[in-house]
């Protein structure tokens, strides 16, 4: 709020300084035709002085009109009436300054229409000139202020969209399979009863996965190397449950520090285990291929399956993943092939075209 007020003050101050310089220049330019006998030093001095005098009416006029304009609860007809009264009063004051102060005390002469005929206080032509001078200034200040308010509104909308996106992503991440932890703990419990030698290693891997999900995944982006390491830990834990499983993992990464949103890639692996391997009775396989070349990610997962169970059981999970990809990487390419005996997912992300690069 303070930053917004400070910005408004700076913008308006800059406007009045530039406007003053413009008006002084215009008056100084035209005074050489209106007062050809005056030296340029005197004409410049007069221009500087008279524009300061006009500011006594222009600044109150500008902010009075802005005040009425910003009264959102005031009916439009009342706004028009108030603005008309304010402008009319400003024209009267402007004419008073011009006729009784500027000409006799700054120029040292009486105001005239054509250099010979005396001008009245509210002559139609000079009154119109005063009106146009004030309206020109009013249009400028309104343009500045409306533009400033629109920019603030755009920033607020952008911030709200960003906050909404972050909240939605947090909710989507929270929907990641919660059964993984319970299943793994049950497996560790069974291994502990059998006093299996692999128990400490499994506990360590589970600890790494949970640390990643709790702490690392809270970050907006993470290195691709860390994300792949988490996938490998996840696979090692899952192998405990699936003894007839063959996993082939191929990676070719030219930039391990490339940043990516966490928990995107692993969801496809989770689906492969949960809805492919877990629902198969015989020998099963999962083939994972991940490549990164020139900031373009190619990711594919192929897993065996039986029947059509996979098609119905992955709808929610796949919808979750698609939504995250739409929010984070709008230009991604995701293809899903559901065949009778296998399920193939292919994902391409061009990090050149995303804000995550």
């Amino acid at each position: 709020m303070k930053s917004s007020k400070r910005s408004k003050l700076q913008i308006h101050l800059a406007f009045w300084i530039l406007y003053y310089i413009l008006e002084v220049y215009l008056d100084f330019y035209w005074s050489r035709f209106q007062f050809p006998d005056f030296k340029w030093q005197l004409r410049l001095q007069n221009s500087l002085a008279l524009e300061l005098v006009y500011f006594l009416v222009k600044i109150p006029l500008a902010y009075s009109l802005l005040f009425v304009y910003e009264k959102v609860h005031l009916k439009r007809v009342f706004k028009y009436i108030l603005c008309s009264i304010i402008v009319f009063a400003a024209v009267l004051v402007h004419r008073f300054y011009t006729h009784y102060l500027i000409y006799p005390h700054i120029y040292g002469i009486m105001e005239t229409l054509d250099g010979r005929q005396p001008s009245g206080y509210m002559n139609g032509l000079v009154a119109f000139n005063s009106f146009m001078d004030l309206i020109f200034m009013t249009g400028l200040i309104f343009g500045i202020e409306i533009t400033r308010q629109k920019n603030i509104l755009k920033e607020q909308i952008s911030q709200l969209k960003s906050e909404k996106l972050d909240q939605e992503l947090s909710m989507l991440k929270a929907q990641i399979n919660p059964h993984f932890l319970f299943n793994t703990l049950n497996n560790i419990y069974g291994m502990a009863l059998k006093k299996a030698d692999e128990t400490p290693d499994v506990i360590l891997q589970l600890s790494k996965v949970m640390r990643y999900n709790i702490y690392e995944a809270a970050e907006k982006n993470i290195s691709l190397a860390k994300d792949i390491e988490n996938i490998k830990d996840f696979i090692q834990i899952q192998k405990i449950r699936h003894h007839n499983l063959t996993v082939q993992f191929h990676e070719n990464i030219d930039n391990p520090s490339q940043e990516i949103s966490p928990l995107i890639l692993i969801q496809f692996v989770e689906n492969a285990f949960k809805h492919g391997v877990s629902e198969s009775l015989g020998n099963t396989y999962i083939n994972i291929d991940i490549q990164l070349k020139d900031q373009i990610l190619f990711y594919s997962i192929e897993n065996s399956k039986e029947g059509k169970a996979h098609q119905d059981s992955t709808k929610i999970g796949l919808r979750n993943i698609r939504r995250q990809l739409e929010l984070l990487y709008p230009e991604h390419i995701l293809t899903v092939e559901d065949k009778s005996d296998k399920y193939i997912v292919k994902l391409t992300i061009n990090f050149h075209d995303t804000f995550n690069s």
Side-chain angles (χ1 to χ4, degrees):
M1 191 63 154
K2 290 182 179 179
S3 177
S4 176
K5 289 183 178 179
R6 189 183 304 113
S7 174
K8 179 179 180 179
L9 178 62
Q10 292 172 346
I11 292 173
H12 281 241
L13 182 61
F15 164 78
W16 287 116
I17 292 174
L18 293 175
Y19 176 76
Y20 178 73
I21 294 173
L22 173 65
E23 287 294 291
V24 168
Y25 169 76
L26 292 176
D27 185 78
F28 176 72
Y29 178 82
W30 287 108
S31 65
R32 67 176 181 170
F33 302 106
Q34 192 172 13
F35 307 105
D37 297 332
F38 287 12
K39 294 183 178 180
W40 73 267
Q41 295 91 337
L42 179 59
R43 289 191 290 110
L44 178 60
Q45 177 182 328
N46 290 342
S47 298
L48 292 169
L50 73 90
E51 291 304 331
L52 285 177
V53 173
Y54 281 144
F55 264 32
L56 297 177
V57 61
K58 290 182 177 180
I59 292 178
L61 169 65
Y63 292 105
S64 296
L65 293 176
L66 283 174
F67 177 79
V68 174
Y69 170 77
E70 292 174 351
K71 285 295 181 180
V72 294
H73 300 298
L74 194 64
K75 291 184 178 180
R76 185 174 298 180
V77 63
F78 292 143
K79 285 187 178 184
Y80 289 151
I81 293 173
L82 282 175
C83 288
S84 299
I85 293 173
I86 292 171
V87 171
F88 180 73
V91 171
L92 292 178
V93 177
H94 189 278
R95 286 297 307 134
F96 177 84
Y97 286 155
T98 303
H99 191 75
Y100 293 108
L101 180 62
I102 291 174
Y103 270 89
H105 296 285
I106 294 180
Y107 291 142
I109 60 174
M110 295 303 296
E111 182 183 18
T112 60
L113 292 177
D114 54 5
R116 297 184 300 273
Q117 181 182 355
S119 170
Y121 166 59
M122 282 300 287
N123 176 275
L125 179 61
V126 293
F128 178 76
N129 289 337
S130 293
F131 173 78
M132 293 303 298
D133 184 27
L134 296 176
I135 289 299
F136 173 72
M137 177 277 305
T138 301
L140 290 178
I141 192 66
F142 264 74
I144 293 293
E145 180 59 18
I146 291 173
T147 301
R148 187 190 70 85
Q149 292 179 6
K150 285 185 176 180
N151 288 335
I152 292 176
L153 183 60
K154 286 182 180 179
E155 291 177 1
Q156 292 174 342
I157 292 174
S158 177
Q159 184 177 355
L160 287 174
K161 286 183 177 179
S162 178
E163 292 174 356
K164 182 180 178 182
L165 184 145
D166 291 340
Q167 291 175 355
E168 186 172 354
L169 285 174
S170 298
M171 292 177 63
L172 289 170
K173 288 179 180 179
Q175 295 172 18
I176 294 173
N177 183 16
H179 301 294
F180 164 71
L181 175 61
F182 301 110
N183 290 334
T184 305
L185 288 174
N186 285 333
N187 289 325
I188 292 175
Y189 175 72
M191 295 173 65
L193 290 177
K194 297 177 182 179
K195 298 182 180 180
D197 295 336
E198 301 90 343
T199 304
D201 292 334
V202 176
I203 293 175
L204 180 61
Q205 288 172 334
L206 176 62
S207 175
K208 290 174 63 179
V209 171
M210 295 311 298
R211 186 184 301 111
Y212 181 91
N213 279 266
I214 295 173
Y215 297 108
E216 307 276 3
E219 299 294 329
K220 186 175 183 180
N221 292 307
I222 198 168
S223 71
L224 186 59
K226 286 187 177 181
D227 209 47
I228 292 175
E229 182 182 355
N230 180 61
I231 293 175
K232 290 179 178 178
D233 289 332
F234 176 82
I235 292 173
Q236 286 300 116
I237 293 174
Q238 289 288 0
K239 282 183 177 181
I240 301 169
R241 298 176 55 203
H242 308 286
H243 302 289
N244 297 323
L245 171 66
T246 300
V247 179
Q248 291 186 357
F249 193 102
H250 176 261
E251 62 177 296
N252 183 13
I253 308 298
D254 65 359
N255 180 20
S257 61
Q258 170 65 54
E259 292 190 336
I260 187 172
S261 180
L263 304 179
I264 289 289
L265 303 181
I266 196 172
Q267 293 185 65
F268 295 103
V269 181
E270 286 185 339
N271 275 347
F273 275 100
K274 182 178 179 182
H275 303 298
V277 175
S278 297
E279 295 173 355
S280 299
L281 300 177
N283 294 328
T284 56
Y285 70 87
I286 297 178
N287 297 330
I288 301 173
D289 182 49
I290 180 167
Q291 300 182 39
L292 179 70
K293 185 177 181 180
D294 297 331
Q295 286 191 288
I296 300 179
L297 177 72
F298 301 96
Y299 183 53
S300 67
I301 297 181
E302 178 182 328
N303 63 271
S304 58
K305 75 183 191 88
E306 295 180 3
K308 293 293 182 181
H310 194 102
Q311 180 179 2
D312 297 329
S313 58
T314 58
K315 285 183 178 179
I316 296 178
L318 188 58
R319 189 161 56 242
N320 181 322
I321 298 171
R322 287 188 186 276
R323 182 54 181 157
Q324 290 188 59
L325 288 170
E326 288 172 1
L327 294 171
L328 293 166
Y329 308 103
E331 303 300 323
H332 73 278
I333 300 175
L334 176 64
T335 60
V336 178
E337 298 180 44
D338 188 5
K339 299 184 178 181
S340 60
D341 59 341
K342 60 184 176 181
Y343 199 78
I344 304 173
V345 176
K346 294 181 180 180
L347 172 66
T348 301
I349 297 176
N350 188 342
F351 291 106
H352 287 286
D353 300 331
T354 68
F355 58 82
N356 294 283
S357 58

